[in-house]
Structure formats: C-alpha cells, structure tokens
Amino acid sequence: MTQAPSPREQFASVTNTVSIEGAPEAVLDLVTTARFWPQWHPATHRVGGVTERPYGLGDRIEESGRIGRGEFQVTWRVAEHVRPHRVLLQAEGLPTQITYSFHTRGNTTEFTRELKYKADDLRAVASDPGEVNRLMRAQSGQAVNQLKSLVEKILRNEAVGAK
C-alpha cells in the first residue's frame, strides 16, 4: 500500500493533452494496448504482462526502459478503469501513477496523460531532481505527440480496410 508523502516529499506532476481524431472507445482501446507503448513512449523499450489486448481493471503490465542515464523496470497495475473516460495505472512498490483521461470533442478525443511521481525516487535517472523533472516533461511531451500520430494512423488504416 502506498503511504502518503511527508511534506518534504512532494509529488511532481507532468500533464500533457492532445486531440486525437477518433471516437473515445477506439482511442482508449489503442492507448490501453501496452504492446504499442514502445512505439510511442521514448522511455519504453519492452513490455510484458497484458500487452495484446486493451488492459482492464486489475491487469498488470511490466515495463522496462530508460530515462536519461537510468534504466528502469516497473510493474503497473490498473487501479481504476472507467470506460471510456479514465484509466489509472499505479506503479507497484512506488508512489508513482499515470492517469489517462478521454473527452469527446466533436469527431476527436481529447486525451490527457498525467504522470505523478516523486523525483527523489528516481535518483537512478539523474541525481538532481530538477533534471529528473526536465527529462520527464520532455519525454512525456514527445510521447503524447507520437501517440497521437500512431493512433490516428491505425484508425485511418482500419477505416480504409473496412471499406
């Protein structure tokens, strides 16, 4: 169970939002299919666990990758899943979480990814918490832009194939 941080152990937060052409259910299914993570998130090199289908409540995904100079391995547990609006991933053994939110805006889905973490827990990435935060912001921004491109490409290809 994750303990509440002491006042000196504040959480950092990185939030990125993109508009993705596609219905929320279709976008959610692609975003929550972990086999695609290495294609859109620059930190992710390998995934395991539930990877071949959209993950659901209680599922676990193992992720290995690199942030800055630090290698990492983490197991994410789907702690909340409110289809098609919200998914919460909780890192096992760390007070780190990622929240995905999906909102319909006409023919597009506004996708928001919020990462909450404690920079002190990521000393393997960089010894300076400011550098950890800079790396997390840079990779998260790149990730959601690459995710947008990937999801829109897949949805376009599926639409063409359905005709």
Side-chain angles (χ1 to χ4, degrees), residues 47-125:
V47 292
V50 178
T51 63
E52 296 301 314
R53 63 166 171 78
Y55 42 80
L57 187 63
D59 285 342
R60 286 179 165 71
I61 303 97
E62 294 103 31
E63 178 187 24
S64 299
R66 179 179 202 84
I67 299 171
R69 68 172 193 256
E71 298 286 329
F72 70 89
Q73 291 187 0
V74 64
T75 298
W76 298 98
R77 181 181 57 82
V78 181
E80 182 180 334
H81 197 290
V82 181
R83 186 175 180 84
H85 304 291
R86 180 179 155 90
V87 174
L88 174 67
L89 300 169
Q90 178 66 52
E92 293 185 346
L94 288 172
T96 302
Q97 66 183 34
I98 300 172
T99 304
Y100 297 155
S101 301
F102 305 84
H103 300 283
T104 302
R105 301 278 186 256
N107 292 329
T108 65
T109 298
E110 184 178 279
F111 169 71
T112 300
R113 178 182 183 271
E114 181 183 21
L115 168 66
K116 289 185 179 180
Y117 63 95
K118 292 195 306 186
D120 286 345
D121 289 337
L122 302 173
R123 292 239 180 244
V125 170

